[in-house]
Amino acid sequence: MLKDVHIHLERGTYTKDWVMKFVSQAQKKGLDEIYLLEHTHRFREFLPMYRHLYGTNGYFDSWLDGRGSQRLSDYLKLAEEMRKESFPVKVRWGLEVCYFPDWEEFIKRETQDLPLDFLTGSIHWIDGFGFDHKKELWEGKDTDQEYERYYELMEELIDSGLFTGLAHPDSIKCFGRESSRDLEETYGRLAGKLKEQGMYAEQSSGLFNNYGYAYRGMNPQMLAVFQREQVPIETASDAHCPEDVGKGIWEMAQKLEKQ
Ligand SMILES: [Zn+2]
Ligand SMILES: [Zn+2]
C-alpha cells in the first residue's frame, strides 16, 4: 500500500481538471492513496492566527501580505464535489495547519467541525522565527536553543490532540543546522506522545525535494526511535505541484520495509 500523505493543491484552480493532474501522477507513480491539502495561511479564515507575525521581520510583513487569498468554503466545496467522483487512487482531503501554542482554541474552533479526512500539524515558526523560509534568517541564532524550543512546541502540538498527523518532524534541519546535543530522549518523548494521541508521523521527502537536503525522510536516530516505539509512519512528498506527487515515496517505503 503506497501512500503520499502530504500534497499541496496550491498553484491551481479548484477544479476537477486540476485534481486530475495529481491523481494521474499518483497513478503513474503506482500510489494507492493520496492526501491532498492546503496550507491554512492560504485561507482568509485563518489569517487572525498569523497577524502576530507582523513586525517580526520585514521579510515576513510582505510574505504575510500575500496570504489569505482563498476562501476555505471554496476548498470544502471542491472536496465535497470530488468525493462524488470515483478516482483510480483513493483521495483524502485535509489541511496542513501551522501550530502556534497560543492559538489552540482558535484552531479547534475553526477545524473541529470541518468535513475533512485529516489535519496535519506543522511547526513552521519558533516563537515568531520562520526558520524554514530563508537561510539568512538563521544568522545570529543559537542552533541548540532553537532545536530545544522547536521540539518543545512539537510536544505541545501533539498534546493538543487537534491533529491526525505530524508533518516533517525534523524540518528544523532544512538549512543544514544540526543540534550538538543528543536528542534521543526528546525523540522518545515525541514517540510516546504520538502514540498516546494515535497520530502518525510523516517520513517526508519534502526537504530532499524542496530544499535539496542530503537525504529523504527523518534523521536516522529519530526514525530508529519512532520505529522502536512503533509510531505509525506514513510516507509523504510535500509536493507543491502535480509533477512532484509521489516523489521519493517508493524509495522511502522500500527503506521502511527493510528496517
Ligand atoms: Zn510544512
Ligand atoms: Zn507542506
Side-chain angles (χ1 to χ4, degrees):
M1 176 86 168
L2 270 188
K3 285 193 210 177
D4 185 343
V5 303
H6 193 133
I7 297 166
H8 290 269
L9 261 193
E10 61 184 28
R11 300 184 195 170
T13 50
Y14 287 161
T15 58
K16 187 185 174 189
D17 280 353
W18 185 240
V19 173
M20 272 314 291
K21 290 188 190 303
F22 293 84
V23 170
S24 307
Q25 179 66 10
Q27 220 188 347
K28 242 190 252 172
K29 288 290 210 172
L31 302 180
D32 301 291
E33 189 167 356
I34 55 173
Y35 286 35
L36 299 177
L37 49 72
E38 287 277 41
H39 278 296
T40 40
H41 53 63
R42 296 208 77 205
F43 301 113
R44 71 184 72 164
E45 288 83 350
F46 285 94
L47 281 189
M49 186 165 83
Y50 295 89
R51 286 205 187 105
H52 69 283
L53 298 166
Y54 271 112
T56 50
N57 182 296
Y59 161 79
F60 281 113
D61 287 1
S62 49
W63 182 85
L64 285 160
D65 286 342
R67 303 304 112 186
S69 58
Q70 307 282 325
R71 273 183 179 281
L72 184 61
S73 53
D74 290 335
Y75 178 60
L76 298 175
K77 209 167 92 193
L78 175 74
E80 193 192 329
E81 280 168 15
M82 292 303 103
R83 283 185 207 282
K84 295 175 197 150
E85 306 280 337
S86 74
F87 295 112
V89 297
K90 188 166 169 57
V91 181
R92 290 187 188 268
W93 295 88
L95 287 173
E96 176 174 14
V97 183
C98 293
Y99 177 76
F100 300 105
D102 296 337
W103 289 84
E104 282 188 15
E105 278 308 310
F106 176 85
I107 296 170
K108 189 174 177 186
R109 206 170 54 234
E110 295 298 316
T111 59
Q112 65 185 352
D113 298 321
L114 295 180
L116 292 169
D117 304 309
F118 68 96
L119 295 172
T120 304
S122 292
I123 308 283
H124 291 129
W125 276 271
I126 305 168
D127 302 327
F129 168 36
F131 65 90
D132 65 356
H133 284 249
K134 290 200 295 184
K135 196 176 181 180
E136 302 84 75
L137 296 171
W138 275 88
E139 274 165 32
K141 298 282 181 193
D142 179 320
T143 304
D144 286 343
Q145 257 172 37
E146 297 304 333
Y147 262 78
E148 191 178 318
R149 188 66 188 130
Y150 173 79
Y151 285 117
E152 266 171 24
L153 289 168
M154 197 170 283
E155 288 186 38
E156 288 179 46
L157 178 160
I158 301 166
D159 281 340
S160 75
L162 295 169
F163 307 104
T164 325
L166 173 64
H168 39 65
D170 63 350
S171 62
I172 189 167
K173 70 186 180 189
C174 59
F175 293 118
R177 295 268 195 139
E178 300 287 343
S179 173
S180 69
R181 297 180 191 149
D182 179 21
L183 297 169
E184 182 86 9
E185 273 180 39
T186 304
Y187 297 155
R189 275 200 308 278
L190 290 171
K193 287 175 187 293
L194 285 165
K195 283 186 69 185
E196 226 172 86
Q197 296 292 344
M199 285 171 69
Y200 62 82
E202 286 183 0
Q203 174 71 334
S204 173
S205 57
L207 296 182
F208 180 88
N209 297 339
N210 307 325
Y211 289 76
Y213 196 77
Y215 57 83
R216 296 182 186 91
M218 291 175 231
N219 68 74
Q221 189 180 18
M222 177 184 258
L223 182 60
V225 173
F226 282 13
Q227 288 194 308
R228 185 188 71 213
E229 301 300 325
Q230 296 178 309
V231 173
I233 295 172
E234 301 287 3
T235 47
S237 68
D238 214 335
H240 282 69
C241 56
E243 306 83 75
D244 282 353
V245 169
K247 206 171 172 184
I249 294 295
W250 187 83
E251 291 86 342
M252 290 191 296
Q254 287 286 100
K255 226 176 129 190
L256 285 173
E257 256 173 43
K258 272 188 221 142
Q259 269 153 348

